[in-house]
Amino acid sequence: MTLIAPAPSARPSPPPPAPAPARRALRAVSPYGYIAPFFTLFAAFGLFPLLYTAYISFYKVELQTPGDKLWRGWGNYTAVFDDPFFWTALRNTFTLGALSTIPQLVLALGLAHLLNYKLRGRTFFRTVMLLPYATSVAAATLVFAQLFGHDFGLVNYALSLVGVGPVDWQTGTWTSQTAVSCIVVWRWTGYNALIFLAGMQSIPADLYEAAEMDGASRWRQFFHVTLPGLRPTIVFAVIMSTIGATQLFGEPLLFEGSASGGITHQYQTLGLYMYEQGWSFFHLGRAAAIAWVMFLLILLLVGLNTLLSRRRTAKEAVR
């Protein structure tokens, strides 16, 4: 009889040694080290200027003597609200925002819808869309100022071909605001078109196939499939365009080269009004108060847009 020796019993492996206290502390702190550069830069160049601007807005500070501060309390804010030019700038900001944002988003939506189809050279057209956005604000504004010139402008020349007399684009209220809005529309339409295009490509193709099988035309597919699927993207574009319109500065400043926004302040925005108070009239405290008014106005507009979009979404969910 052959005896078989029993197999040796498997011994459990010893547990790994516990990490040293220094190593445990390093593992706990290392994630914060990765994000520390961002928060350091944000605190230095974002949070500190914001808080310091709020601090300065309660003092009378002149540009020539920034070290001499005189407590005014809410005096800078009351002076801003008592200034009729502030209300003119506020009205101009809203009208310029409407004249530039609405056509811009409508054109961007149409261009994105065209680029969403299988066209030859789609990559080329998508690249061309970003060229106006990559162009310098100063260069674009100077070119448009020449196009809208009174005597030798190309726009007035084109209008003369159809029997329309020369238009003074820089002195009239609506004409100057229309010219400035054209610059904004030209620069930002392609950027928003690519955002809409990215949103369209995230819509499932099954929805379009089902709509096509039901006999829906391309227009019905656009209104009943594309637009509902693009609602979050549209809300984002509207919010970003609203913020941009509230902070509009470079285009109206360079259109005529004056911080007053025309002879009668006909296209002076809140950004130009703040710049004029701080760097033309040297009232840094009042300029800081205007900056905080703009900040609160942006928060109000963004909150209003978000509230309206949520209410509409809730109503459609109930249906």
Side-chain angles (χ1 to χ4, degrees):
M1 182 174 69
T2 304
L3 298 177
I4 301 174
S9 59
R11 294 181 180 180
S13 59
R23 186 174 298 178
R24 289 200 304 266
L26 182 61
R27 289 180 179 178
V29 174
S30 58
Y32 299 98
Y34 291 118
I35 62 176
F38 166 76
F39 285 101
T40 302
L41 294 175
F42 172 74
F45 299 101
L47 185 60
F48 173 75
L50 183 68
L51 298 178
Y52 188 73
T53 303
Y55 167 75
I56 289 296
S57 66
F58 293 101
Y59 287 87
K60 180 181 179 181
V61 184
E62 299 298 325
L63 184 62
Q64 303 92 329
T65 57
D68 299 336
K69 295 188 288 292
L70 179 63
W71 174 259
R72 290 199 64 187
W74 297 99
N76 287 325
Y77 292 91
T78 56
V80 168
F81 291 130
D82 290 338
D83 189 0
F85 291 123
F86 166 77
W87 299 105
T88 302
L90 182 63
R91 184 183 66 248
N92 293 339
T93 300
F94 278 105
T95 54
L96 280 170
L99 289 173
S100 59
T101 301
I102 297 175
Q104 173 192 148
L105 295 181
V106 172
L107 289 174
L109 192 61
L111 290 174
H113 185 62
L114 292 176
L115 291 176
N116 196 31
Y117 290 109
K118 294 182 179 181
L119 300 176
R120 182 176 298 177
R122 286 186 302 173
T123 305
F124 170 76
F125 289 113
R126 293 174 184 177
T127 305
V128 169
M129 288 292 175
L130 277 180
L131 290 180
Y133 173 71
T135 305
S136 170
V137 179
T141 306
L142 292 176
V143 170
F144 271 85
Q146 297 296 322
L147 292 176
F148 285 99
H150 180 268
D151 296 324
F152 304 102
L154 185 61
V155 176
N156 279 343
Y157 174 75
L159 292 176
S160 66
L161 297 178
V162 294
V164 179
V167 179
D168 196 348
W169 295 98
Q170 292 185 343
T171 58
T173 300
W174 288 106
T175 54
S176 59
Q177 292 187 8
T178 301
V180 173
S181 299
C182 288
I183 308 173
V184 181
V185 171
W186 180 82
R187 288 197 70 241
W188 291 97
T189 297
Y191 175 82
N192 287 302
L194 292 183
I195 293 179
F196 288 146
L197 179 61
M200 290 178 182
Q201 291 180 345
S202 65
I203 300 175
D206 300 340
L207 299 178
Y208 290 100
E209 293 176 0
E212 188 175 358
M213 291 178 63
D214 290 339
S217 61
R218 290 192 179 272
W219 280 108
R220 288 185 174 273
Q221 293 178 25
F222 177 75
F223 283 106
H224 297 285
V225 178
T226 305
L227 287 183
L230 274 182
R231 184 171 292 113
T233 308
I234 293 175
V235 171
F236 170 78
V238 169
I239 291 175
M240 296 304 296
S241 299
T242 302
I243 295 175
T246 308
Q247 298 176 336
L248 193 61
F249 175 75
E251 290 85 351
L253 174 64
L254 298 174
F255 182 64
E256 193 183 8
S258 173
S260 61
I263 300 176
T264 59
H265 299 250
Q266 66 267 19
Y267 59 91
Q268 185 183 49
T269 60
L270 288 176
L272 276 183
Y273 179 69
M274 178 186 66
Y275 179 83
E276 183 184 41
Q277 291 294 323
W279 279 263
S280 297
F281 300 152
F282 312 123
H283 304 320
L284 292 184
R286 190 175 298 182
I290 298 169
W292 263 89
V293 170
M294 293 174 60
F295 176 70
L296 296 177
L297 178 63
I298 289 173
L299 291 181
L300 178 62
L301 293 176
V302 171
L304 182 62
N305 283 332
T306 306
L307 180 62
L308 292 176
S309 63
R310 286 182 178 179
R311 283 190 175 182
R312 185 171 182 179
T313 304
K315 287 183 180 179
E316 292 182 355
V318 171
R319 293 176 184 175

